[in-house]
Amino acid sequence: MTVSSAASPVLSIRNLNVDALTPEGLKPVLRDVGFELASGETLCIAGESGSGKSVTSLAIMGLLPKASLRVTSGNILLGERDLVKLSNRAMRSVRGGDVAMVFQEPMTSLNPVMSIGAQLTEAIREHQGSENADAVALRMLDTVQMTEPAKRLKQFPHELSGGMRQRVMIAMALSCRPKVLIADEPTTALDVTVQAQILKLMRELKTEFGTSIILITHDMGVVAEMADRVLIMQSGRIIEGGPSLEVFNRPREDYTKQLLAAVPRLGAHAGTDGPPRVTSGSPEPLQPGAAPVMNVRGLNVSYGAPASRFFKGKPPVQAVSGVSFDIMPGQTLGLVGESGSGKSTIGKAVLGLIPFTGGVMIDGQDISLLGHREMRPVRRFAQMIFQDPYASLDSRMTIGAAIAEPMVIHGIGNRSERQDRTAELLRRVGLTSDASSRYPHEFSGGQRQRICIARALALEPKLIVADESVAALDVSVRARVLDLMLELQETMGIAYLFISHDMAVVERMSHHVAVMRGGTIVETGTRREIFESPTEDYTRALIAAVPIPDPAAYQGRITRSA
């Protein structure tokens, strides 16, 4: 399928086919992908993981791993040049000079042992020569609205926040004024306020530099905000495309309709006190006088003890200060805020994974008084689901072994009983029992997160801390995982500390919400109070920054192309 633009194209993809090299032979990855990108246009490519979005972008850049993927047919035309036919040497002048790319995770794209200035000037010297490279680098950081740009040039990637690193990547990509900028999930891991800043910056820079943008994302809210045209990909093919208003308002394909239906919409649950029911029956009422499953009072966490040789001569950094909250049985406390606000630090501290001061009661037991050995029985009661399921699973252990491991540690059941329990847990999270013999790399991101949920359930906990547990998942996969978590809460009475920067997801999941900023809770209340009548300007700013999955809401923007 080829999707054309009305204006003359700066980039044309024609019948592109990419195959994967496997022991069994060639396996199709992209099939007959075709589209055009007009000058000054923003084209969004959307779809689930594995649909072929990123492979398409890597093919354009000539960055496909030759050992596993190859272009078998088709054309990638940049003006009159067919990039498929260019040598590696010729492609070096195209990459960065004519076509540049911003990757999803800037920390893995930047060299950790080179300063920001060295990395920026390296790209500039490669394509524009060494004259004035330092001045151009400084000007580009200022262009992307980096605070204290001269200072940032001397710093290293680990010294910058996620939003700052993404600004560096954009500055590097635009430093040579490319005709085409490819942005592959550039805001997935960013907070809503930082995401809003980055998207605004990209719109402004498109206008200033006249650059055409290919934006790859699974966030339909971002698509609505940014796209002039939209392509929907599924299983390596473009199944639908057109102007953004047309795709959103009159989708033709069932798959597109499912993607749009799965988008969490802020305000969809207005007027209700708790999450929507996903199982039949009435919710279990909270028993009068029920004790909290978790009680936190005056929690403080600091990094960099004076005695530490890594922080010698530097004062400790107060990451969390005076935080207090309760979580009731079978209910969810949503913890929201920007990166660096202390959300994840709290999640680790309340489970005793990092040192803290203050009081943390789990099931009536003060864990601040417990040593490592004494914490073991408490961990049966409270478990954690981490943001990155691949990183939290041992790549050398089968799924069955990973799920059974907590039961082995706590001496629960014999081998046969643990195998039966593992099979039941896999079934509970929507996977088949034969998954037990497979390894993490054989599953999708959504399936791996389901496996992590199964592992967390192995000890039948009353409380689960979910730290950005759905942030990296596709919109439809995320919807299914959230439904699963709600179902487990309804049927098993599990309480959640749900940590997230996605306000629409928090609104869907939470009974109560605590808003964090600078290591403290600035506002707390019921889900309805926080989302319908917030008292703090910061809370209102978080809510206002959430992208609306409706392109009509952005039609008045002067920075958008006509």
Side-chain angles (χ1 to χ4, degrees):
M1 178 179 180
T2 300
V3 181
S4 301
S5 62
S8 58
V10 64
L11 181 73
S12 296
I13 313 297
R14 299 178 182 173
N15 303 114
L16 182 66
N17 292 278
V18 173
D19 288 343
L21 305 177
T22 71
E24 293 76 28
L26 294 178
K27 178 183 177 182
V29 177
L30 295 184
R31 277 294 169 263
D32 298 320
V33 169
F35 60 86
E36 294 178 344
L37 177 68
S39 178
E41 178 184 41
T42 297
L43 176 70
C44 283
I45 304 178
E48 295 179 302
S49 293
S51 62
K53 308 186 302 295
S54 294
V55 172
T56 300
S57 67
L58 292 174
I60 295 171
M61 295 293 294
L63 294 175
L64 290 174
K66 297 185 182 301
S68 56
L69 293 173
R70 65 173 57 166
V71 175
T72 52
S73 64
N75 309 97
I76 303 174
L77 300 176
L78 183 68
E80 300 298 321
R81 289 178 294 175
D82 189 347
L83 303 187
V84 173
K85 298 178 180 178
L86 295 186
S87 65
N88 287 334
R89 182 181 293 274
M91 276 300 299
R92 285 188 64 181
S93 64
V94 173
R95 283 193 291 264
D98 295 312
V99 184
M101 190 164 181
V102 178
F103 295 91
Q104 177 174 354
E105 179 44 69
M107 191 61 181
T108 59
S109 304
L110 293 169
N111 190 325
V113 299
M114 289 178 66
S115 68
I116 297 302
Q119 296 186 65
L120 275 169
T121 55
E122 181 183 45
I124 295 165
R125 290 189 176 102
E126 173 70 24
H127 295 282
Q128 296 184 3
S130 58
E131 187 177 352
N132 297 324
D134 293 330
V136 173
L138 181 62
R139 186 170 66 251
M140 286 308 304
L141 285 187
D142 186 60
T143 299
V144 298
Q145 302 168 25
M146 181 76 81
T147 60
E148 301 180 277
K151 175 183 176 181
R152 307 305 176 199
L153 287 173
K154 301 175 183 178
Q155 292 182 307
F156 290 83
H158 72 272
E159 298 180 86
L160 305 183
S161 69
M164 287 180 177
R165 288 194 291 264
Q166 199 61 286
R167 288 173 189 269
V168 170
M169 291 298 300
I170 293 173
M172 190 181 299
L174 292 176
S175 61
C176 300
R177 297 178 177 267
K179 298 174 184 177
V180 177
L181 175 66
I182 302 173
D184 188 0
E185 301 280 9
T187 63
T188 296
L190 302 180
D191 304 322
V192 286
T193 50
V194 179
Q195 173 179 265
Q197 294 165 10
I198 294 297
L199 294 180
K200 180 175 182 289
L201 174 64
M202 291 177 66
R203 290 194 302 272
E204 292 172 347
L205 293 176
K206 182 182 79 167
T207 301
E208 179 178 347
F209 290 92
T211 302
S212 302
I213 296 176
I214 297 176
L215 179 59
I216 296 170
T217 182
H218 62 250
D219 188 328
M220 299 305 286
V222 170
V223 173
E225 181 172 350
M226 295 293 292
D228 298 309
R229 288 190 303 125
V230 182
L231 302 180
I232 304 297
M233 292 194 71
Q234 182 185 29
S235 301
R237 297 179 182 272
I238 295 174
I239 63 167
E240 185 163 0
S244 59
L245 275 172
E246 179 181 312
V247 172
F248 274 79
N249 295 336
R250 295 181 297 278
R252 300 187 305 272
E253 299 292 326
D254 289 340
Y255 177 73
T256 308
K257 295 173 184 177
Q258 292 167 10
L259 282 181
L260 294 173
V263 177
R265 297 172 183 265
L266 202 62
H269 307 293
T272 60
D273 295 317
R277 297 284 297 177
V278 296
T279 61
S280 59
S282 301
E284 289 291 332
L286 191 64
Q287 296 299 319
V293 294
M294 175 171 282
N295 177 284
V296 177
R297 290 293 179 269
L299 180 70
N300 298 284
V301 180
S302 61
Y303 294 118
S308 170
R309 63 187 178 93
F310 297 106
F311 293 89
K312 191 173 183 179
K314 298 181 180 180
V317 176
Q318 193 71 24
V320 173
S321 179
V323 165
S324 301
F325 58 82
D326 295 331
I327 305 178
M328 302 304 291
Q331 295 205 344
T332 299
L333 173 67
L335 195 60
V336 300
E338 296 175 303
S339 289
S341 62
K343 305 187 304 295
S344 293
T345 299
I346 287 177
K348 295 171 185 175
V350 297
L351 294 184
L353 300 179
I354 57 174
F356 67 90
T357 60
V360 177
M361 305 281 288
I362 298 180
D363 198 26
Q365 192 166 11
D366 190 348
I367 70 168
S368 63
L369 306 175
L370 303 181
H372 179 73
R373 184 179 298 274
E374 296 167 311
M375 273 295 296
R376 177 172 289 186
V378 178
R379 298 197 193 284
R380 288 195 60 175
F381 183 89
Q383 289 286 298
M384 191 163 191
I385 303 171
F386 295 93
Q387 176 175 356
D388 186 346
Y390 193 67
S392 59
L393 292 169
D394 190 329
S395 60
R396 298 166 299 177
M397 291 179 67
T398 64
I399 296 308
I403 294 174
E405 185 180 34
M407 293 182 275
V408 173
I409 291 172
H410 289 271
I412 298 174
N414 56 38
R415 184 174 182 179
S416 176
E417 290 170 338
R418 289 194 292 267
Q419 288 177 340
D420 292 343
R421 172 71 173 154
T422 297
E424 169 60 20
L425 287 169
L426 286 170
R427 185 199 62 77
R428 191 74 187 261
V429 299
L431 298 173
T432 56
S433 59
D434 61 2
S436 292
S437 59
R438 296 158 63 189
Y439 289 85
H441 72 273
E442 299 180 71
F443 296 88
S444 69
Q447 288 172 325
R448 285 195 289 263
Q449 198 60 288
R450 288 171 178 266
I451 291 163
C452 288
I453 292 172
R455 184 177 59 179
L457 293 174
L459 301 178
E460 299 184 347
K462 296 181 182 178
L463 171 70
I464 290 179
V465 176
D467 186 8
E468 299 283 9
S469 55
V470 296
L473 301 181
D474 300 324
V475 60
S476 55
V477 176
R478 180 173 58 190
R480 292 194 290 270
V481 171
L482 292 176
D483 281 344
L484 170 63
M485 294 178 70
L486 289 174
E487 177 192 342
L488 295 171
Q489 184 172 62
E490 293 167 12
T491 57
M492 300 176 66
I494 297 172
Y496 294 117
L497 175 59
F498 191 84
I499 299 169
S500 179
H501 63 252
D502 190 324
M503 298 296 284
V505 169
V506 169
E507 184 193 30
R508 181 184 179 192
M509 292 293 294
S510 303
H511 296 84
H512 293 81
V513 179
V515 182
M516 291 203 66
R517 186 181 192 185
T520 64
I521 292 178
V522 297
E523 185 169 6
T524 185
T526 65
R527 196 269 303 278
R528 185 185 295 190
E529 290 170 343
I530 295 298
F531 284 95
E532 297 182 31
S533 53
T535 60
E536 294 291 325
D537 290 341
Y538 176 70
T539 307
R540 287 192 282 267
L542 287 177
I543 294 172
V546 177
I548 303 169
D550 179 4
Y554 302 100
Q555 287 298 295
R557 284 231 169 103
I558 60 173
T559 50
R560 281 179 57 97
S561 298

